[in-house]
Amino acid sequence: MPAWLTVVGIGEEGFAGLGRAARRALLDASVVVGGERHLAMLPARLRARRESWPRPFDLAPLLAHRHTPVCVLASGDPMLFGVGATLARELPADELRVLPAPSSLSLAAARVGWPLQDVTVLSLVGRPLAAVHAHLHDGARLLVLSSDGASPAALAALLDARGFGATRMIVLEHLGGPLERRIDARADAWQAGEVAALNLVALECRASVGATIWPLTPGLPDDAYLNDGQLTKRDIRALALAHLVPVPGELLWDVGAGAGSIGIEWMRAHPSCRAIAIEADSQRQNFIAHNRNALGVPGLQLVAGSAPAALEGLPAPDAIFIGGGVTTAGVLDACWARLRPGGRLVANAVTVQGEARLVAWRGAHGGTLTRIALAHVQPLGGFDTWRPTLPVTLLDSRKPFDEPSESSTAAVVGTAPPR
């Protein structure tokens, strides 16, 4: 059976720029769904009924037309941060046909002369600006899909504040259409104000002397985090993350998150890594909210509360880190019960009581125990000496694949309206 739904990528040229297959699909459709701007590009001769996307965005009205000829209009390539990708997750492949136009990214790369394979792509559409922080490195080239006409000015302010004021900004409005315009400026000299709502920003990052540049490897300096001392220190953090083994697409619970450092560095390992920080203290919750934005992972989910009660209703994790609270009744058992089969449970203890709990846990469930004892050189009179830190006991336990996890219901995350 032929696909009932065709997603047509349309550029700034409108209907005149579409290929034969896209025009045929629109002529044969009973209903055309799209944004108001896209629907206005269609000629009056099309007989199809035109329906704008509902606000807030919802697929239900579109899916109600199932098995009748329907077209959806989307900007450029619908599979690139577009509604085509959303629909592909909802429909079987044989019900959906996608006819892409050149994406704004392809057009931008052609205008500025950058090979696309060497560029990092970010979207601010329905996403926080703070995500840019994770990609600021001297010499990096970024293509940023703007949320609106205020996005370039907001980007310029962020870059200047981070010590990247010398970054070259190229703002491209209405790519591929008769109103296409280009604005070139340094971030610290941006004066254009608000530009056209439909724009893309190309950034060639240049760091000033003294700019803060954070690596993507685990073990960021402790002063990268606002904290009250409840922080997994740099060397211990790097070891803990090595045992947690961040894998693209996987979910981490950071239980007793403190400043949020473990969850933040888990997410910095790969853009698709996800994390939930569970923290009861309100001041530390504020630290986590600040730190996740400053270090470029605003998608870190913060849950206010204490384990084990705060774990109820959370999606099952692939890995769990317990940085505090191993002696609290029920925490280890609840975390183990919710962990996915094959998942990793890593826990730290610095007290005798906490270590005893981890030793007992290993006896019942297996795993490894590692004693970490570090010392740092500090001055002593006119000389230097070694000052040991408190030893840390690290448990690494792997859940057998044949041991199921308790079921849970994941929260539904809203989808941004299509471009």
Side-chain angles (χ1 to χ4, degrees), residues 393-409:
T393 300
L394 183 147
L395 167 74
D396 182 341
S397 192
R398 308 298 169 106
K399 190 169 185 176
F401 283 97
D402 58 359
E403 184 175 342
S405 62
E406 290 184 0
S407 61
S408 65
T409 303

Side-chain angles (χ1 to χ4, degrees), residues 85-285:
T86 303
L87 289 166
R89 290 191 293 267
E90 295 289 329
L91 295 172
D94 59 356
E95 294 189 29
L96 178 68
R97 180 173 61 146
V98 180
L99 303 175
S103 71
S104 58
L105 299 178
S106 295
L107 294 173
R111 301 293 189 270
V112 300
W114 295 353
L116 265 178
Q117 69 269 18
D118 298 334
V119 174
T120 297
V121 176
L122 298 172
S123 175
L124 301 182
V125 181
R127 296 170 174 85
L129 179 68
V132 176
H133 283 293
H135 303 279
L136 295 183
H137 307 283
D138 192 52
R141 287 176 167 177
L142 313 180
L143 291 179
V144 184
L145 298 170
S146 291
S147 176
D148 52 34
S151 293
L155 275 169
L158 180 150
L159 290 163
D160 195 23
R162 269 291 303 273
F164 283 79
T167 294
R168 178 190 179 200
M169 294 181 61
I170 305 170
V171 179
L172 300 163
E173 300 176 333
H174 297 292
L175 274 163
L179 299 179
E180 182 173 321
R181 183 171 74 126
R182 171 174 173 156
I183 306 169
D184 287 77
R186 276 175 49 129
D188 57 7
W190 179 261
Q191 296 180 338
E194 187 162 336
V195 301
L198 192 65
N199 74 84
L200 181 148
V201 186
L203 302 176
E204 193 162 30
C205 297
R206 288 288 176 263
S208 304
V209 175
T212 301
I213 302 175
W214 301 125
L216 296 177
T217 50
L220 295 181
D222 293 343
D223 61 10
Y225 298 95
L226 282 183
N227 69 90
D228 59 358
Q230 190 70 18
L231 173 74
T232 303
K233 299 302 189 289
R234 180 180 193 171
D235 299 305
I236 305 298
R237 192 185 326 129
L239 287 167
L241 283 156
H243 284 266
L244 286 165
V245 193
V247 174
E250 289 195 339
L251 172 67
L252 169 78
W253 285 0
D254 185 359
V255 179
S261 61
I262 293 290
I264 287 169
E265 295 192 25
W266 168 279
M267 291 185 65
R268 284 173 60 86
H270 192 271
S272 66
C273 286
R274 300 165 293 132
I276 300 174
I278 298 97
E279 176 54 55
D281 185 271
S282 59
Q283 183 183 31
R284 291 169 188 162
Q285 293 164 14

Side-chain angles (χ1 to χ4, degrees), residues 322-328 332 347-362 369 371 391-395:
I322 307 175
V326 295
T327 58
T328 302
L332 279 166
N348 282 356
V350 294
T351 67
V352 172
Q353 291 79 7
E355 182 179 90
R357 186 63 63 91
L358 297 186
V359 170
W361 177 265
R362 175 178 174 271
L369 286 172
R371 170 67 67 85
V392 175
T393 300
L394 183 147
L395 167 74

Side-chain angles (χ1 to χ4, degrees), residues 27-47:
L27 289 168
D28 292 342
S30 300
V31 179
V32 178
V33 180
E36 294 175 1
R37 181 176 68 89
H38 291 143
L39 293 175
M41 295 177 173
L42 300 180
R45 70 177 183 273
L46 287 182
R47 63 179 179 83

